[in-house]
Amino acid sequence: MRKVGAFLGGLVLLLALGLLVFIFLHSPQYKGEIEINGLSEETTAYFDEYGIPHIYASDASDAYRALGYLHAQDRLFQLEMMRRVGTGTLAEFLGPDVVEIDQFFRTLGIPKHAQTSTEFWNSQPDSPWKTATEAYMSGVNEFIQNGTLPVEYLLLGEKPREFTINDIHGIIGYMSFTFGMALKTDPLITKMTRELGEEYLEALSIETLPEHHFIPNFYPDSVPNGNLSSLLEKLPVPLLEGSNGWVVSGSKTKSGKVIFANDTHIGFSSPSVWYEAHIEYPGFSFYGNHLAGVPFGLVGHSRHHSVGLTMFENDDQDFFEIKLNPNNSNEYQFGDEFLPVSVRKDVISVKGQEPVEIEIKETIHGPIVNSVVPEIASLTDNPVSSWWVYTMEPTRALESIYQINHAQDLEDMEAAASLIHAPGLNIMYGDSLGNIAWWAAGKLPIRSEKVHSKIFADGSDPESMPQGWYPFSLNPRSINPPSGFVASANNQPDTLQNGVLFPGYYFPGERWKRIADAINSKDDWTIQEMKAIQLEVVNTDHAQIAKIMLSQIPDFDFEGKERVKSLLENWDGNHELSSSIPTIYYKWLYHVLRLAMEDELGKEAFESYLGSFVMIRSNLPFIRNFDHPWWDKVDTPEKENASQIFSESLKITLQELEAQFGDNINSWDWEKAVILEHPHPLGSQKPLDKIFNVKTDPVPANDESVNKLAFKLNGEGIYKVTSGPAMRILLDFMDADRSLSVLPTGQSGNRFSKHYRDQASLYTKGKYRYQLMDKNEIVESAKDSLILTPR
């Protein structure tokens, strides 16, 4: 018996030792030495306590080569997923379950556009951004060839191919797609227009309402100089969804220096989307937040300037309904003539089975998308083509981002912003000289007055086609405004300089107003006090909606539930976790919208509405308008009104909450209804979810508070937070070497890294950590240092 026990004990010990060796071999290397091909001189990376590399190199090529290697070491599988989606090769890697994703992106034209951009890139002369990009790619490939691959490759039985410039352009294309809302919105709006009529649309905020909050412009006479951005749910990578950014001049800060704040709102995932890195070489110092596979920081700062971004939300995609020639289905009408429908074949490689051949048809307007967008296929039998600004010309994003990182003054920054044609981005800027600025970047098409940008246009009418571009000089902007701050929160910018109010998918501006009101409330801000703005979870619009609904319900509906009425009447819109009010309110709102709209729209379209920007900015005007036709149920002879819908939905809500949480209303805490889990691409398969997904404590989920932690309304009463700030940055130029930030999970995407989830607790508790730039402090506090030497 003792021998058996000893044997089992020894076996357990061997398994434990084997597991430790496996973890050691598959963990990133943060100390010691590594030889790398192509380095000219020794390069050192110091890792701080959260695993962020501070790279010191002799020149730009060595710095970006080191960055590529380290980025791949921590995030190679994330990079793999991003490039596979952007190049339409996901099925080649993951198998037949994702063929439809590849078909969607190939039909939309992102892989084709990546190839066009690569051809343009290769045709351009040598430049600093080309040299830096090639060095970065060389570093990534060095790790692919000689590093220890992350465990995901072992589980999938795959090996990565070489990383190329075409992969980067595919990643940028995917990023550009995620910023757009047209595919999620325009088919729904067109359906409402055709099946319900104008009176139904008038109850919603399809376009920006006068009561919504606009980003104010300020155009200076000159720019000062200085010296110194159902199918989709299957995606294994996050969608970029929104953001806040504000920059406050020294006239409103305690230090007398500019304070900069940015938090980009992106779908939660593991790892989180941003990879932080600090690069130093002679003449250059920059702390950046990098997208997987992109060598330059889309967000970041030097000691002289800081740059951030939010989504512009401009409408840059139109849909054209095509009229086929009745005598020849391979032709379509355009004006007085018939043009041929162009057809190209594409082949999708699929892991474990034969390749799938697809046929992509195109008109002068763009690709026909009925086959890959079910909402369009169910709406019309006619072909519908997608016209998208992004595919109109090669991207110059790499050049733009490089220039942004290396900008010496406002003039440099504006020139760099002008290179962005799509997606639309709000570029936020501040510098050590006291300048603050915001530019709405992106090429804005000139549309015919015949076109409603959110309703399918007549593809046979040449006048419905976009008629050129507004020059960048007319784009909305604000440079050193008298207000002393600039801010954007995905809300409507004021008019272009020529007076045109450009259409888009803008949010109502509740976040912007809360930010603006707070900044205007005092003139001695510090970054410590700015935390309160960035972490605020108040939405006064929802408190107003609750009071409107309460006003239409008789008191006897609350018999035995007077506590519910009292709570809702006194709600200020705060979503703190210990409150039961959001638990009641969101279920009530869901049932109100369901009872009012599902009978007209059907279940699928209603679900689409709940996931759209239209719902967010329509909630208040929808609820306060008691006369619109949505209140009447189409399947009953009686004519229902708003009061009846409010009462019926409240009754359902209270019954369901009692069944869910018990009779004690005070125990219906919001934290019991909120779930936050950062999903990994392999985490959809059990038991891999337990290994790769990062589940955290609940967060104060909300709809359109500044600290936006978003979820989709549902009838279950459990709300899965799917997106939120992908980082929170605060910087005072009084001490640019010690700015603040935090990531939702951790710096590393390697499951066996100690930095895989070491910021998750900080994030959920609203805490921050330093972004260090002072070398002495970095070296003294460094947990590890890695020396990269020429091979």
Side-chain angles (χ1 to χ4, degrees):
M1 196 70 176
R2 290 181 180 177
K3 289 182 179 180
V4 173
F7 172 77
L8 291 176
L11 182 60
V12 170
L13 180 60
L14 284 174
L15 289 173
L17 288 173
L19 179 61
L20 290 173
V21 170
F22 182 85
I23 291 172
F24 174 78
L25 291 176
H26 286 82
S27 297
Q29 184 174 344
Y30 296 126
K31 57 185 175 182
E33 289 191 13
I34 298 177
E35 291 185 348
I36 291 185
N37 282 311
L39 280 181
S40 62
E41 294 187 27
E42 183 176 285
T43 299
T44 302
Y46 298 97
F47 293 90
D48 64 24
E49 65 176 310
Y50 292 99
I52 295 154
H54 302 262
I55 300 167
Y56 291 85
S58 60
D59 60 27
S61 290
D62 282 0
Y64 285 106
R65 185 171 276 102
L67 174 64
Y69 186 92
L70 298 176
H71 200 167
Q73 177 179 248
D74 269 318
R75 299 287 188 99
L76 182 61
F77 192 71
Q78 181 185 50
L79 186 154
E80 185 77 64
M81 292 293 97
M82 292 283 282
R83 68 168 169 174
R84 290 285 178 176
V85 172
T87 58
T89 57
L90 199 59
E92 180 183 50
F93 193 75
L94 295 180
D97 288 347
V98 291
V99 167
E100 61 183 349
I101 294 178
D102 285 347
Q103 183 176 356
F104 173 81
F105 285 110
R106 289 179 187 229
T107 301
L108 198 60
I110 290 177
K112 179 183 175 183
H113 181 267
Q115 293 169 358
T116 300
S117 296
T118 296
E119 291 168 4
F120 175 78
W121 173 273
N122 291 334
S123 72
Q124 297 303 295
D126 290 341
S127 62
W129 47 92
K130 288 188 75 171
T131 299
T133 301
E134 288 161 4
Y136 173 86
M137 290 190 298
S138 175
V140 172
N141 287 326
E142 176 74 20
F143 181 80
I144 288 174
Q145 293 158 11
N146 299 308
T148 301
L149 299 178
V151 71
E152 289 93 332
Y153 289 98
L154 178 64
L155 293 172
L156 291 170
E158 291 288 343
K159 289 186 178 180
R161 56 172 169 77
E162 183 183 62
F163 186 61
T164 67
I165 185 64
N166 198 69
D167 290 327
I168 297 180
H169 287 140
I171 289 168
I172 292 170
Y174 170 70
M175 180 196 74
S176 302
F177 163 78
T178 69
F179 279 152
M181 289 195 181
L183 270 169
K184 306 170 192 175
T185 306
D186 291 11
L188 178 64
I189 302 304
T190 302
K191 175 184 173 69
M192 290 181 182
T193 303
R194 293 181 178 183
E195 297 181 2
L196 300 176
E198 288 295 326
E199 58 181 347
Y200 281 86
L201 260 67
E202 288 172 1
L204 307 175
S205 175
I206 306 302
E207 302 298 345
T208 303
L209 299 176
E211 68 198 55
H212 291 155
H213 306 289
F214 292 68
I215 305 174
N217 292 325
F218 185 73
Y219 297 91
D221 295 330
S222 62
V223 176
N225 292 315
N227 291 327
L228 296 170
S229 194
S230 74
L231 176 71
L232 300 182
E233 292 177 352
K234 291 184 179 180
L235 283 169
V237 287
L239 294 167
L240 289 77
E241 300 186 0
S243 302
N244 300 315
W246 63 91
V247 193
V248 182
S249 76
S251 65
K252 298 187 72 64
T253 68
K254 188 172 183 178
S255 67
K257 298 290 185 179
V258 166
I259 288 181
F260 172 93
N262 194 202
D263 54 288
T264 56
H265 300 165
I266 298 175
F268 283 139
S269 65
S270 183
S272 52
V273 69
W274 296 117
Y275 180 82
E276 295 185 36
H278 167 211
I279 295 176
E280 297 262 359
Y281 58 84
F284 183 70
S285 172
F286 195 81
Y287 192 115
N289 288 259
H290 299 257
L291 196 68
V294 178
F296 315 121
L298 278 75
V299 173
H301 65 278
S302 66
R303 292 180 181 85
H304 165 66
H305 78 296
S306 187
V307 61
L309 60 86
T310 72
M311 290 166 59
F312 182 0
E313 303 287 14
N314 57 302
D315 190 342
D316 64 359
Q317 188 174 19
D318 292 336
F319 297 93
F320 293 87
E321 191 161 9
I322 306 302
K323 294 179 181 178
L324 295 176
N325 182 347
N327 299 315
N328 184 350
S329 61
N330 294 318
E331 293 181 343
Y332 64 97
Q333 184 179 350
F334 189 69
D336 297 328
E337 59 181 332
F338 289 105
L339 302 178
V341 176
S342 66
V343 181
R344 60 185 172 91
K345 305 284 187 180
D346 206 345
V347 177
I348 300 173
S349 297
V350 183
K351 181 179 180 180
Q353 69 177 43
E354 292 298 311
V356 174
E357 184 176 89
I358 62 173
E359 186 177 81
I360 299 171
K361 296 182 177 181
E362 296 181 344
T363 68
I364 196 171
H365 314 84
I368 295 172
V369 294
N370 302 55
S371 63
V372 294
V373 184
E375 293 85 350
I376 291 177
S378 66
L379 186 59
T380 177
D381 292 329
N382 296 321
V384 175
S385 289
S386 162
W387 183 93
W388 184 22
V389 171
Y390 184 73
T391 58
M392 293 297 107
E393 60 183 56
T395 181
R396 296 176 68 184
L398 288 171
E399 178 183 355
S400 173
I401 302 167
Y402 177 91
Q403 300 284 23
I404 285 171
N405 288 190
H406 290 76
Q408 296 296 304
D409 52 39
L410 269 168
E411 195 170 20
D412 286 351
M413 184 63 65
E414 185 166 305
S418 71
L419 298 175
I420 297 170
H421 81 289
L425 299 174
N426 291 305
I427 306 294
M428 314 302 297
Y429 173 86
D431 66 31
S432 61
L433 301 178
N435 295 303
I436 62 173
W438 151 69
W439 294 271
K443 294 192 78 167
L444 306 182
I446 301 171
R447 290 185 171 94
S448 165
E449 293 183 358
K450 292 184 175 182
V451 173
H452 186 303
S453 69
K454 296 176 184 63
I455 298 175
F456 294 177
D458 180 0
S460 67
D461 184 356
E463 291 185 21
S464 68
M465 286 287 285
Q467 302 165 356
W469 311 98
Y470 293 108
F472 178 76
S473 60
L474 297 183
N475 278 26
R477 69 195 61 196
S478 181
I479 300 175
N480 292 328
S483 64
F485 74 95
V486 293
S488 68
N490 316 122
N491 52 316
Q492 171 87 57
D494 209 339
T495 61
L496 279 66
Q497 200 165 10
N498 62 359
V500 171
L501 189 66
F502 197 80
Y505 304 91
Y506 309 109
F507 288 85
E510 172 71 10
R511 283 182 281 128
W512 185 90
K513 187 176 187 302
R514 297 293 297 186
I515 293 165
D517 287 350
I519 293 171
N520 281 325
S521 69
K522 55 185 293 183
D523 295 325
D524 58 349
W525 283 100
T526 67
I527 59 171
Q528 295 300 324
E529 293 168 327
M530 283 288 181
K531 291 179 182 179
I533 302 179
Q534 216 167 47
L535 297 171
E536 186 187 80
V537 288
V538 173
N539 186 304
T540 56
D541 276 4
H542 284 296
Q544 188 177 347
I545 290 170
K547 290 177 176 63
I548 292 170
M549 294 194 295
L550 283 173
S551 71
Q552 300 301 305
I553 297 179
D555 285 344
F556 60 75
D557 279 7
F558 291 97
E559 288 182 4
K561 297 289 186 299
E562 289 80 4
R563 175 66 174 157
V564 169
K565 183 177 181 182
S566 175
L567 288 170
L568 290 168
E569 280 180 335
N570 294 290
W571 189 32
D572 62 358
N574 201 316
H575 289 70
E576 55 198 355
L577 288 170
S578 60
S579 172
S580 59
I581 307 174
T583 313
I584 301 167
Y585 169 77
Y586 283 111
K587 183 175 274 287
W588 188 16
L589 179 64
Y590 168 80
H591 284 303
V592 167
L593 296 178
R594 178 182 64 82
L595 293 176
M597 305 182 79
E598 191 176 78
D599 53 327
E600 286 93 353
L601 293 176
K603 287 189 176 183
E604 288 186 3
F606 176 63
E607 286 299 313
S608 295
Y609 178 78
L610 293 179
S612 72
F613 90 102
V614 178
M615 185 206 75
I616 292 174
R617 75 178 191 183
S618 296
N619 278 333
L620 181 55
F622 184 94
I623 296 297
R624 74 182 175 205
N625 181 352
F626 304 145
D627 298 322
H628 62 63
W630 292 98
W631 301 122
D632 182 34
K633 295 181 180 180
V634 297
D635 54 356
T636 65
E638 301 81 18
K639 184 174 183 179
E640 288 81 11
N641 57 40
S643 178
Q644 290 172 288
I645 298 295
F646 295 157
S647 294
E648 184 179 353
S649 57
L650 179 65
K651 181 179 179 181
I652 295 170
T653 293
L654 296 180
Q655 288 174 345
E656 290 182 349
L657 289 176
E658 283 187 356
Q660 186 175 357
F661 297 118
D663 295 338
N664 185 357
I665 294 168
N666 293 326
S667 70
W668 297 355
D669 295 345
W670 187 222
E671 66 180 344
K672 294 179 181 178
V674 174
I675 296 173
L676 174 54
E677 185 171 15
H678 302 269
H680 183 278
L682 301 187
S684 60
Q685 300 294 322
K686 296 183 182 300
L688 295 180
D689 59 325
K690 305 298 183 185
I691 299 172
F692 290 105
N693 292 357
V694 176
K695 192 169 184 178
T696 74
D697 292 335
V699 292
N702 64 81
D703 177 16
E704 282 300 285
S705 299
V706 177
N707 184 16
K708 183 175 179 177
L709 295 155
F711 57 90
K712 187 175 180 180
L713 277 181
N714 64 76
E716 297 174 8
I718 296 295
Y719 306 98
K720 184 178 180 181
V721 180
T722 55
S723 68
M727 55 26 178
R728 298 185 181 111
I729 293 175
L730 292 169
L731 180 151
D732 187 333
F733 274 101
M734 177 184 68
D735 187 6
D737 285 347
R738 290 169 65 85
S739 56
L740 301 174
S741 190
V742 68
L743 297 176
T745 55
Q747 167 76 352
S748 182
N750 186 303
R751 182 59 187 88
F752 300 119
S753 170
K754 57 188 175 183
H755 304 299
Y756 187 71
R757 56 168 301 158
D758 60 340
Q759 297 182 53
S761 179
L762 291 178
Y763 183 88
T764 58
K765 293 177 180 177
K767 296 183 179 180
Y768 297 72
R769 41 90 188 154
Y770 287 117
Q771 297 182 124
L772 300 176
M773 287 189 74
D774 178 74
K775 186 173 184 179
N776 290 331
E777 186 174 7
I778 289 167
V779 172
E780 287 177 9
S781 62
K783 296 298 180 182
D784 299 298
S785 63
L786 181 65
I787 299 174
L788 308 176
T789 60
R791 187 182 295 274

